[in-house]
Amino acid sequence: MKYTTTMPRAIAPLTLIAALLCGSAAVAQDRLEVWSRSGPQAAATYQAVFDAFTAKTGIQVEYLATVEFETQLRARAASRDLPDVLIYDQSSMAGYANEGMILPVDRAALVGADDLSDASWDSVRMANGDYYGVPFSQHAQVTFVRRDWREALGFDVPTTHEELIALATAFATGDPDGNGVNGDTYGMAVPGTTDRGFFAWWLSSYMMQRGGSFVEGAEGKYTVTVNSVESVAAVEWIQSLFCGTPSLVQPGALTNASATPFFAEGHAGIYQTGPYAIANFDNAPGADKYEIIIAPAGPGGASTLTERTSIYLGATSTMPDAQKALAEFLISPEGQEIGMTAPGQPVVRLPVNTTLDGAAIYGDDRWRVVEAQLADSQLMPSDIDFTAARLEIAEGFQAMFAQCAPVGPALDNLALAISDALADQDALQ
């Protein structure tokens, strides 16, 4: 999608929240408050990481795992009492930094910083050149396929979009699950929800593979390209998955949380998502029933979306040394390995610490596929706040596909909305 980032530029003015936070009173603490956006399985793994940190440093951690992360964080920001450490999607960093909710990070002062790649550090660098996070976990979206269905219908592993469509069509019209009924399964499970703009993340991979893009640029300045000739052609192809005959996608807009069981329960045979789903899919449909493959290539290649989790330092903390100590532990080989292997669900999908071999630690060659896909993946713009643009993209595409509307005019309107979102923060090239 031709995103590149970094190099100094001015940050957008801080908002009212920043002013409120600056006026917060220091309150004595005896433990570090840490939040993550996690369900129960991931929370169990995080707790194991924090227990090891406490055993090593004596610093107590009060941990909150919540799936309503944004809502609860806004409430705490309003009360001028942010968590000391936040572990969350990299995509939220620029917004938090612009609002003064998180502190800049002194990369040079962080023990272990040199064990992280420049690419990881670039992902947490704002357009003004400052780092506002510490990389913690990385992966790319990968393609899950029901191996048993594919083999039952006599198909090879798809390597091109043409082969992907042929396989999805067979899943949607044939009897891959062998229940004697043709056409009661779907080709693809698609998390088409607009919540947090999730649909835009799923779409971005196929846009890249078809040679299209949402925006292009670097150094805090971007050009809107969602309505370029290449992007229109890409979107017409994606729309055919939803609006063609047969439709290859399930009806309705699944969330990421509901798309995972939809695939696991045997309703669809192809699902592009993150490798965090491996633990669930090993339980159902079962590790022997599915496979993880490199994304089948379109005319633009086989790239998918890079996803990262980062560590952020809350701006109202009175425990700066403990904040730094926890960040250093989380990127250490010990902290990273516990995050991959503790009972629950890996919260370090692939390590950001370059001294570690992720697939070897897992003892699972499927993670080699994830590593290979990560090497051919791209991050959405991270040096600007892309949240508003991402929401516009998700809502615009959902409406377009729900109505099977003509692509060109809809993309022209969407381009104007994205331009407005970028212009609001002086990020329009």
Side-chain angles (χ1 to χ4, degrees), residues 1 3 5 90-96 98 126 196-198 200-201 204 213-217 220-226 305 379-394 414-415 417-423 425 427-428:
M1 198 170 280
Y3 301 136
T5 59
Q90 183 281 332
S91 60
S92 296
M93 179 193 73
Y96 294 165
N98 285 346
M126 291 282 290
R196 302 170 58 234
F198 200 93
W201 282 314
S204 66
S213 57
F214 300 139
V215 298
E216 294 181 4
K221 291 291 187 182
Y222 292 86
T223 299
V224 178
T225 54
V226 73
L305 178 69
L379 198 65
M380 278 194 177
S382 59
D383 58 347
I384 63 170
D385 185 0
F386 203 62
T387 305
R390 188 176 71 240
L391 292 171
E392 293 285 359
I393 292 166
L414 179 58
I418 297 173
S419 294
D420 289 344
L422 298 185
Q425 53 182 311
L428 194 59

Side-chain angles (χ1 to χ4, degrees), residues 68-347:
E68 300 295 334
F69 189 96
E70 294 278 359
T71 301
Q72 295 192 34
L73 186 65
R74 294 290 169 187
R76 288 290 294 270
S79 65
R80 310 178 189 184
D81 181 24
L82 290 163
D84 299 293
V85 175
L86 300 76
I87 304 175
Y88 193 44
D89 296 346
Q90 183 281 332
S91 60
S92 296
M93 179 193 73
Y96 294 165
N98 285 346
E99 295 182 6
M101 296 168 65
I102 57 176
L103 298 170
V105 173
D106 184 352
R107 172 181 174 178
L110 202 68
V111 174
D114 290 344
D115 288 337
L116 277 57
S117 68
D118 286 340
S120 287
W121 280 111
D122 285 347
S123 73
V124 291
R125 186 162 59 173
M126 291 282 290
N128 71 343
D130 289 338
Y131 300 99
Y132 271 87
V134 179
F136 176 60
S137 173
Q138 59 182 344
H139 66 265
Q141 291 204 350
V142 291
T143 304
F144 293 79
V145 175
R146 283 293 298 257
R147 182 208 305 270
D148 54 341
W149 290 13
R150 176 181 63 76
E151 292 178 344
L153 296 181
F155 282 77
D156 294 329
V157 173
T159 59
T160 66
H161 274 189
E162 290 75 17
E163 293 171 356
L164 179 73
I165 295 304
L167 182 62
T169 302
F171 287 166
T173 58
D175 182 23
D177 57 1
N179 68 352
V181 180
N182 288 334
D184 66 343
T185 50
Y186 297 96
M188 295 181 171
V190 175
T193 177
T194 60
D195 182 32
R196 302 170 58 234
F198 200 93
F199 196 23
W201 282 314
W202 181 88
L203 288 161
S204 66
S205 296
Y206 290 111
M207 286 288 282
M208 287 186 269
Q209 292 161 22
R210 300 303 298 184
S213 57
F214 300 139
V215 298
E216 294 181 4
E219 304 179 18
K221 291 291 187 182
Y222 292 86
T223 299
V224 178
T225 54
V226 73
N227 59 341
S228 69
V229 172
E230 295 80 5
S231 295
V232 169
V235 175
E236 287 176 341
W237 182 87
I238 299 171
Q239 189 185 51
S240 71
L241 306 178
F242 296 79
C243 299
T245 303
S247 172
L248 302 181
V249 175
Q250 86 287 335
L254 297 174
T255 65
N256 194 43
S258 58
T260 295
F262 192 80
F263 178 87
E265 293 166 2
H267 300 297
I270 299 169
Y271 182 27
Q272 177 194 270
T273 189
Y276 38 73
I278 289 176
N280 288 327
F281 292 160
D282 280 357
N283 290 324
D288 61 330
K289 298 290 197 303
Y290 77 93
E291 57 200 350
I292 301 171
I293 66 171
I294 293 290
S303 291
T304 64
L305 178 69
T306 306
E307 295 182 309
R308 289 180 173 273
T309 303
S310 303
I311 305 157
Y312 306 116
L313 310 183
T316 60
S317 177
T318 61
M319 304 178 69
D321 292 341
Q323 285 180 307
K324 178 173 177 287
L326 179 59
E328 291 172 343
F329 181 78
L330 290 172
I331 64 172
S332 70
E334 180 183 3
Q336 294 265 289
E337 285 199 46
I338 298 172
M340 297 172 68
T341 59
Q345 183 185 75
V347 295

Side-chain angles (χ1 to χ4, degrees), residues 336-359:
Q336 294 265 289
E337 285 199 46
I338 298 172
M340 297 172 68
T341 59
Q345 183 185 75
V347 295
V348 176
R349 280 75 188 231
L350 285 174
V352 294
N353 190 306
T354 57
T355 68
L356 300 178
D357 181 337

Side-chain angles (χ1 to χ4, degrees), residues 394-416:
E395 291 172 0
F397 274 76
Q398 189 189 74
M400 194 188 322
F401 294 166
Q403 300 166 10
C404 295
V407 165
L411 290 181
D412 286 340
N413 290 332
L414 179 58
L416 292 173

